[in-house]
Amino acid sequence: MFVFTKKLPDGKFIRSHKTGHLIHEPSIGVCEIAFQTNNYRDALFTEHSIQFPEQLFAAVAKRRSEYLCGRLAAQTLLHEKQIYAQITQSTDGAPIWPGGWLGSISHTDHCAIAVIAPQNKRCILGIDIENFNPEALDEIAGTIAQESERKRLAKSEIDYNIALHIAFSAKESLYKALYPQVRQIFGFESAIITDINTHKQTFSIQLTHALTPALPAGFQRTGYYQLDKDKVVTVIY
């Protein structure tokens, strides 16, 4: 799904720092950072010129690490475009992107990823990264997908549990892609996975009910997924 073309210096906290683009859409830049929370320190915010938000004052090192690396990944991509504005946070917690740009950020407990794209090229952009956790997802499968949807996943050309992870991540990506337009919380039941294509590594996702006049029931998008040894990444644009 992604091709990484540049590797940046790493260290004790940042174990890997690389940038690239979406293979199928080179205008979408991507940055992935692997980090080690045990080596986190607050001074890293200053060292990387990232504002320390008030929302993190009571947060533990894990949450501070995730936020820092997510913002650093996005900042890295913007700097490549000679854009040096800070990515601030709205009152509802969503990143505020510089004018003319779309972006999305996601993270696990040891990896953060961000994508950006020119706003005049597309209207939505969302990314999600999830660690594989079969037992946890089995427990909430009924929340993630409707019964008919789970049956469809079970009949796909991929292991059911992996398909469930893709569905979970895809719906998170859709949420991040559409939230800037919807501006209200909507759940997993708002969309269904209608197809997973293992050859093209794509999925199709469809809204079950209208979210806005511009996002009616039946609104559909095709996204991409990537499987690694311990995680799944999905992107919708």
Side-chain angles (χ1 to χ4, degrees):
M1 180 168 66
F2 298 119
V3 55
F4 290 101
T5 57
K6 185 177 180 182
K7 186 176 185 300
L8 303 174
D10 49 38
K12 291 182 178 180
F13 173 65
I14 295 176
R15 310 305 297 166
S16 173
H17 190 176
K18 53 189 180 180
T19 64
H21 61 267
L22 188 67
I23 294 174
H24 306 280
E25 184 53 73
S27 67
I28 299 178
V30 59
C31 179
E32 183 180 284
I33 297 175
F35 58 91
Q36 176 56 258
T37 300
N38 290 342
N39 294 320
Y40 168 82
R41 48 195 172 82
D42 286 343
L44 289 165
F45 275 83
T46 301
E47 291 175 16
H48 291 291
S49 303
I50 294 176
Q51 294 177 356
F52 190 101
E54 293 183 6
Q55 296 93 324
L56 291 185
F57 285 165
V60 298
K62 175 181 177 295
R63 174 63 188 130
R64 294 183 181 190
S65 297
E66 294 165 349
Y67 181 95
L68 170 65
C69 289
R71 288 305 192 276
L72 178 57
Q75 175 183 279
T76 299
L77 294 172
L78 290 171
H79 284 186
E80 288 187 344
K81 305 298 182 182
Q82 285 75 54
I83 300 170
Y84 300 98
Q86 285 279 333
I87 303 168
T88 55
Q89 196 171 19
S90 65
T91 54
D92 54 12
I96 300 175
W97 299 93
W101 291 88
L102 292 174
S104 184
I105 300 172
S106 185
H107 59 76
T108 65
D109 55 1
H110 65 269
C111 184
I113 195 166
V115 285
I116 66 165
Q119 194 166 21
N120 61 356
K121 290 289 184 72
R122 60 196 74 263
C123 60
I124 67 172
L125 181 62
I127 194 166
D128 183 69
I129 182 171
E130 300 289 340
N131 286 334
F132 285 125
N133 193 341
E135 292 184 2
L137 248 60
D138 279 344
E139 292 179 1
I140 60 171
T143 303
I144 297 169
Q146 301 173 17
E147 183 177 0
S148 59
E149 195 178 0
R150 296 197 302 275
K151 289 179 179 178
R152 187 180 303 115
L153 295 177
K155 293 178 180 178
S156 64
E157 298 178 354
I158 196 168
D159 176 81
Y160 169 72
N161 199 268
I162 293 177
L164 192 61
H165 278 78
I166 293 171
F168 180 86
S169 183
K171 292 186 180 186
E172 290 287 346
S173 283
L174 184 71
Y175 180 86
K176 292 178 182 180
L178 299 185
Y179 184 80
Q181 296 181 44
V182 178
R183 286 295 170 186
Q184 63 181 7
I185 295 172
F186 57 93
F188 291 118
E189 75 285 352
S190 300
I192 57 171
I193 300 295
T194 59
D195 180 63
I196 294 178
N197 188 313
T198 57
H199 303 292
K200 295 181 179 180
Q201 290 194 306
T202 63
F203 59 86
S204 296
I205 190 167
Q206 185 179 86
L207 291 181
T208 58
H209 59 267
L211 297 178
T212 71
L215 296 170
F219 172 88
Q220 184 164 305
R221 265 299 201 270
T222 296
Y224 290 88
Y225 71 87
Q226 179 172 297
L227 301 174
D228 293 331
K229 61 179 180 179
D230 61 346
K231 63 182 183 293
V232 58
V233 183
T234 59
V235 64
I236 290 176
Y237 62 93

